[in-house]
Amino acid sequence: TWIAAAVTTATAAEVIRRDVLHTTGGEVELFFIGHASLILTFQGKVIHFDPYGKVGNYATLPRADLVFFTHDHVDHFDLDALQKIIKPETVIIEPAICAEKVPDGWIMANGESLTIWDIKVEAVPAYNLVHHREDGELFHPPGVGNGYVLTLGDKRIYVAGDTENIPEIKALKRIDVAFLPMDPSTMTPAMVADVARSIKPKILYPYHYKNSDPEQLVNLLADRPEIEVRIRPLR
């Protein structure tokens, strides 16, 4: 398949690169490109999250109907990768900080929602409270980045972007699938487990987990069998 040719970090034979989620609106295919880069397909639409050319060969990936950017860090906001997947009718959804470089996108602020096609989109705050650089600046300050909740059929999929276990996330309701970041600039495994215990996703994917051991998360949630932790190639 196209995913096997496009991913540069491993071969399709070594890891699971695709999962399928059944909804009342049809199947959602979830493709794991790497790091924080994902592709979802739903009702014939191709949805990209945070394309990043260092983890996938975007020249061989399907063109996007919809692209989400969570914030402007290069590992989430790669304009070269974007140019390889956009077409004239591609819709781009982004926070305001990305709009200077991608002026044709739809800007969403924290807390806003919209509906495109049959997909409801909610922008969720994404920021740090604890983790910061040596000069004291937070890796991800409040009010800048987004996570997104997409309602596809009867399922709600949350892609968190770069964030900690902030109150706004822990207040989310009825999350079926969650992608939560886990590395020294976002959340520790304990922080991810804290979020999971609050929002109770049926399926939890740690992603962006460079320098973190996802098995720690599995162990931390061993007493919550109703939350299925799926480890995929998203380092």
Side-chain angles (χ1 to χ4, degrees):
T1 64
W2 55 262
I3 198 72
V7 175
T8 60
T9 54
T11 69
E14 293 172 330
V15 291
I16 297 173
R17 289 285 177 190
R18 170 184 173 272
D19 286 343
V20 177
L21 180 69
H22 300 284
T23 85
T24 55
E27 288 187 346
V28 178
E29 293 182 293
L30 305 107
F31 295 97
F32 315 110
I33 308 305
H35 195 57
S37 299
L38 308 167
I39 297 175
L40 279 59
T41 64
F42 179 67
Q43 296 183 348
K45 302 296 187 184
V46 176
I47 305 167
H48 284 255
F49 281 88
D50 287 349
Y52 182 37
K54 286 193 174 180
V55 296
N57 181 0
Y58 279 82
T60 67
L61 289 171
R63 296 295 181 98
D65 296 293
L66 182 58
V67 178
F68 287 93
F69 287 119
T70 60
H71 62 296
D72 64 334
H73 291 176
V74 67
D75 56 331
H76 298 258
F77 187 56
D78 182 343
L79 298 183
D80 289 337
L82 176 66
Q83 289 303 313
K84 293 173 181 175
I85 57 172
I86 58 171
K87 50 189 179 181
E89 64 271 28
T90 300
V91 176
I92 299 170
I93 294 177
E94 61 188 356
I97 197 166
C98 298
E100 181 177 344
K101 293 183 178 178
V102 182
D104 297 330
W106 294 7
I107 297 173
M108 291 190 74
N110 293 169
E112 290 187 338
S113 62
L114 59 81
T115 299
I116 179 168
W117 307 308
D118 291 327
I119 301 170
K120 182 180 179 183
V121 180
E122 303 161 60
V124 180
Y127 62 90
N128 289 106
L129 289 169
V130 177
H131 294 148
H132 55 79
R133 306 180 193 279
E134 290 184 1
D135 62 3
E137 179 185 5
L138 293 170
F139 285 112
H140 307 94
V144 176
N146 288 333
Y148 299 97
V149 176
L150 275 59
T151 301
L152 305 175
D154 62 334
K155 297 296 190 293
R156 286 164 53 81
I157 300 176
Y158 172 44
V159 181
D162 278 4
T163 188
E164 284 180 12
N165 53 333
I166 57 176
E168 296 94 329
I169 294 175
K170 294 170 69 174
L172 292 174
K173 304 297 183 185
R174 203 177 64 76
I175 298 299
D176 295 288
V177 178
F179 288 86
L180 300 179
M182 191 170 70
D183 80 348
S185 69
T186 57
M187 287 194 269
T188 64
M191 287 176 168
V192 174
D194 177 53
V195 171
R197 291 174 184 277
S198 296
I199 67 174
K200 304 178 180 66
K202 296 178 177 66
I203 300 170
L204 169 59
Y205 294 99
Y207 83 149
H208 197 299
Y209 57 79
K210 184 178 180 180
N211 301 320
S212 292
D213 180 3
E215 293 300 330
Q216 290 184 28
L217 178 62
V218 173
N219 293 334
L220 286 166
L221 291 173
D223 63 337
R224 300 298 294 269
E226 69 276 17
I227 300 174
E228 179 187 354
V229 181
R230 294 185 180 178
I231 310 302
R232 299 295 185 257
L234 292 165
R235 187 175 296 281

